[in-house]
Amino acid sequence: MRLAILGAGAVGGSVAELAGEYGHEVVALANSSQAAVADEDEEIDVESALERAASDEALGSSDPDRVFETDYDVLVEATPTTLGEAEPGFSHVERTLADDKHVVLANKGPVAERYEDVRALERESAGSVRFEAAVGGAIPVLSTIEDCTPQAVTAVRGVLNGTANFILTRMAAEGLEYEHVLAEAQDLGVAEADPTFDVDGTDAALKCVILANVLADGGFSLEDADVTGIQDVPPSALELAAEDGRTIRLVGEATREGVRVGPRLVPENGAMAVSGTRNIVQIQTRHAGDLYSSGRGAGGPETATAVLSDVGRL
Amino acid sequence: MRLAILGAGAVGGSVAELAGEYGHEVVALANSSQAAVADEDEEIDVESALERAASDEALGSSDPDRVFETDYDVLVEATPTTLGEAEPGFSHVERTLADDKHVVLANKGPVAERYEDVRALERESAGSVRFEAAVGGAIPVLSTIEDCTPQAVTAVRGVLNGTANFILTRMAAEGLEYEHVLAEAQDLGVAEADPTFDVDGTDAALKCVILANVLADGGFSLEDADVTGIQDVPPSALELAAEDGRTIRLVGEATREGVRVGPRLVPENGAMAVSGTRNIVQIQTRHAGDLYSSGRGAGGPETATAVLSDVGRL
């Protein structure tokens, strides 16, 4: 497939780097200000483009809008997640589908905040929308639900934010205060300079909203989610939990009725008590009991594999 | 899709019962001696057929061969796994593909023992062969490898036999001898009257051989596997392991180089130490680290969901 990639950060850059290995061609790669665009029947030189961007030079010599004029098969939307109107991500989806082409999202915004709008545009288009990379990084959550068929899935629960999980794991292991471990996480690059969405539960909630939308075929956005973050979990709560053979994880739950995210007590040695930045998802099914899938929930290459999985399924 | 189901035991019967819920029709259902076969454009009365079989009456009034004369889209091959020539399962696959129709296997024989033959027939046919249900029951192992693409998977390890796992779990928990726990497992229906293939590692090895064949695109059969079962694991070994924070599980490993199955020490609270009859699979990938998937590895409805997943992917 010919890929046009919007977003040249960790995810977009990794998709561009790995595309060839999966048998695909990159015909365009854009960040917010420039684009590297290939001539017809050509592909771009991904390595050079990324080297330029890494050296603070222009990624390419074209306007990002030119991406849509290339002869692409699949648009990979890997620009930063935005809320509410989910722009410019939503417009990218809209334009791609209007051109009867496919879009693979790593960006959570359009399918968390405007799910029904996206599906309506998809129905009018020859193109399809896929978004495995928006939930759980490398873990095949949405494709598993798709294979089970959503109607056979009753609920999805999970630890879906690696930053929050790392912090809680370290707090429990060392008895340290939240602020101290957050600073450690930032030093390690596990938490962003502005970690708000990770620690206040928004990131996990967006993923659960997407899951609820898949189960119920729409109806939810972030404002419908009941969300509590981890900023107020004191070390004493973790000690108390440990005395009872438990620990605390930021757990998200998605059903057809809604979404809840918050710190929960989980058995210390149970499946939900994943460590460090790992994520886990529990898919509750009607005929096959519970399926658990765990792995790396974030990271450039990890999320890129989810994008490329989706491209493969088109 | 119109399904023709060979095998009316736990798996075949469950596929027949659940087919309607997934939007499919059952046009034929056969055991080794009779078949219920629908008229053209009709489906069979699954409930009645299964009731008759359960009361030791004839499942249907037709010869099983008549199944192939119906207007089916997908043959579900759920007859007992056989080794070597893998008959009659292999002939069922052959006949279906010769008719340019699809086959979904729950039967491990054809893809463990004659993988290259199956793929060769598939290349000459308009029909496809899928076999998720042959490995890991409800756990989506093969579809996950397919989505990753096999070339991106370096190895697969797992606890793939629920009977052996149940026995080891109980031996560790209660300090009981193997023979005692085996008898308990048979009373509970977790082990068969003849449990040989489960306890001697053959069942796990067949699943790993299938995995190795997927990774390497053929080249392996059961005789290539290095297999040790659990019959000689003494309670003392489990006690010794526990003193070191470990336990013993029957672990299978599949790579492009081959297959090994045997009792292994694993961390007591680690992912591999699944309990009871649960299975777990660890998929080692090149770009996304390790993915773990666990769930129910056996059972009629559980395995049926894997069959119906495959039908959905056709």
Side-chain angles (χ1 to χ4, degrees):
Chain A
M1 295 267 200
R2 287 178 299 253
L3 311 183
I5 305 171
L6 292 182
V11 177
S14 292
V15 174
E17 284 174 323
L18 291 176
E21 197 178 303
Y22 286 69
H24 307 303
E25 297 174 341
V26 181
V27 300
L29 174 64
N31 57 24
S32 51
S33 38
Q34 310 106 22
V37 171
D39 294 328
E40 194 167 344
D41 294 333
E42 301 279 314
E43 29 184 334
I44 68 168
D45 182 339
V46 170
E47 213 176 313
S48 305
L50 291 175
E51 266 170 29
R52 287 192 298 269
S55 331
D56 271 333
E57 293 165 39
L59 176 73
S61 53
S62 302
D63 188 86
D65 256 7
R66 285 221 45 222
V67 162
F68 291 99
E69 295 163 27
T70 62
D71 188 26
Y72 70 97
D73 300 309
V74 182
L75 185 91
V76 174
E77 222 295 347
T79 66
T81 292
T82 54
L83 308 182
E85 295 295 302
E87 293 293 8
F90 184 85
S91 291
H92 297 154
V93 172
E94 185 166 31
R95 184 155 179 192
T96 305
L97 292 174
D99 285 344
D100 283 323
K101 302 199 179 177
H102 304 298
V103 54
V104 170
L105 290 155
N107 180 341
K108 294 180 272 291
V111 282
E113 300 283 70
R114 298 182 65 179
Y115 186 87
E116 299 89 1
D117 293 343
V118 170
R119 288 305 198 193
L121 292 171
E122 191 187 23
R123 280 192 289 276
E124 302 298 308
S125 172
S128 299
V129 181
R130 298 190 66 85
F131 40 99
E132 180 71 68
V135 183
I139 307 170
V141 188
L142 295 178
S143 58
T144 301
I145 293 171
E146 187 180 17
D147 284 344
C148 285
T149 72
Q151 54 88 12
V153 175
T154 52
V156 184
R157 283 178 78 226
V159 170
L160 289 159
N161 184 276
T163 302
N165 203 62
F166 174 89
I167 291 172
L168 290 171
T169 306
R170 295 287 297 146
M171 286 177 69
E174 308 283 346
L176 297 166
E177 295 280 339
Y178 166 78
E179 294 292 345
H180 180 120
V181 179
L182 171 58
E184 182 189 334
Q186 288 169 317
D187 287 343
L188 289 169
V190 167
E192 318 237 351
D194 178 2
T196 310
F197 276 8
D198 292 321
V199 299
D200 76 358
T202 299
D203 176 74
L206 285 168
K207 293 162 181 171
C208 289
V209 165
I210 292 169
L211 290 166
N213 279 328
V214 168
L215 294 185
D217 198 23
F220 300 101
S221 64
L222 181 62
E223 63 181 13
D224 300 311
D226 175 353
V227 188
T228 306
I230 64 165
Q231 311 96 303
D232 297 330
V233 175
S236 55
L238 287 153
E239 282 160 31
L240 202 64
E243 280 163 34
D244 200 38
R246 297 178 196 280
T247 187
I248 296 175
R249 290 288 182 269
L250 185 66
V251 177
E253 294 144 353
T255 68
R256 288 171 180 72
E257 280 67 60
V259 169
R260 294 184 59 195
V261 174
R264 303 262 181 273
L265 287 169
V266 298
E268 200 167 43
N269 294 313
M272 281 289 147
V274 279
S275 298
T277 57
R278 290 184 77 78
N279 285 184
I280 186 163
V281 178
Q282 171 194 19
I283 299 172
Q284 299 175 2
T285 74
R286 296 215 288 196
H287 304 294
D290 293 344
L291 298 173
Y292 290 86
S293 268
S294 71
R296 296 184 187 172
E302 291 83 353
T303 310
T305 61
V307 167
L308 292 161
S309 247
D310 269 348
V311 174
R313 283 231 198 185
L314 287 167
Chain B
M1 295 270 200
R2 288 177 299 252
L3 311 183
I5 304 171
L6 293 182
V11 177
S14 291
V15 174
E17 283 173 324
L18 292 176
E21 198 179 304
Y22 285 69
H24 306 302
E25 297 174 343
V26 180
V27 299
L29 174 65
N31 56 25
S32 51
S33 39
Q34 311 107 22
V37 171
D39 295 329
E40 193 164 345
D41 294 335
E42 302 276 316
E43 28 183 336
I44 69 168
D45 182 339
V46 170
E47 212 178 312
S48 304
L50 292 174
E51 266 169 30
R52 288 193 298 271
S55 333
D56 269 335
E57 294 166 39
L59 176 73
S61 54
S62 302
D63 188 88
D65 257 7
R66 284 219 47 217
V67 163
F68 292 99
E69 294 164 29
T70 62
D71 188 24
Y72 69 99
D73 300 309
V74 182
L75 184 92
V76 174
E77 221 297 347
T79 66
T81 292
T82 54
L83 308 182
E85 294 295 301
E87 292 292 8
F90 184 84
S91 290
H92 296 155
V93 172
E94 185 166 33
R95 185 158 180 190
T96 305
L97 292 174
D99 286 344
D100 283 322
K101 302 201 180 176
H102 304 297
V103 56
V104 170
L105 290 156
N107 180 343
K108 295 180 271 293
V111 283
E113 300 284 71
R114 300 181 64 179
Y115 186 88
E116 300 90 359
D117 292 344
V118 170
R119 289 305 199 192
L121 292 171
E122 191 187 22
R123 280 191 290 274
E124 302 297 308
S125 172
S128 299
V129 181
R130 299 190 65 84
F131 40 98
E132 180 71 68
V135 182
I139 307 168
V141 188
L142 296 178
S143 56
T144 301
I145 294 171
E146 186 179 16
D147 284 345
C148 285
T149 70
Q151 54 89 13
V153 175
T154 52
V156 185
R157 283 178 79 227
V159 170
L160 289 159
N161 184 277
T163 303
N165 204 62
F166 174 89
I167 291 172
L168 288 170
T169 304
R170 294 286 297 146
M171 286 177 68
E174 308 282 346
L176 298 166
E177 294 282 339
Y178 166 79
E179 294 292 345
H180 180 120
V181 179
L182 172 59
E184 182 189 333
Q186 288 168 317
D187 287 343
L188 289 169
V190 166
E192 316 235 353
D194 178 1
T196 310
F197 276 8
D198 292 319
V199 299
D200 76 359
T202 297
D203 175 75
L206 286 168
K207 292 162 182 171
C208 288
V209 165
I210 293 169
L211 289 166
N213 279 329
V214 169
L215 294 185
D217 197 23
F220 300 101
S221 66
L222 181 62
E223 62 180 16
D224 300 309
D226 176 354
V227 188
T228 305
I230 65 164
Q231 311 96 305
D232 297 331
V233 175
S236 56
L238 287 152
E239 281 160 31
L240 202 65
E243 280 163 32
D244 199 37
R246 297 178 196 281
T247 188
I248 296 175
R249 291 289 182 269
L250 184 67
V251 177
E253 295 145 352
T255 67
R256 287 172 180 71
E257 282 66 60
V259 170
R260 295 185 60 195
V261 174
R264 304 261 180 272
L265 286 169
V266 298
E268 200 167 41
N269 295 314
M272 280 289 148
V274 279
S275 298
T277 57
R278 289 184 76 80
N279 285 183
I280 186 164
V281 178
Q282 171 193 19
I283 299 171
Q284 299 175 3
T285 74
R286 298 216 288 198
H287 304 293
D290 293 343
L291 298 172
Y292 290 85
S293 267
S294 71
R296 295 183 187 174
E302 291 84 352
T303 310
T305 61
V307 168
L308 292 161
S309 246
D310 268 348
V311 174
R313 283 232 198 184
L314 285 167

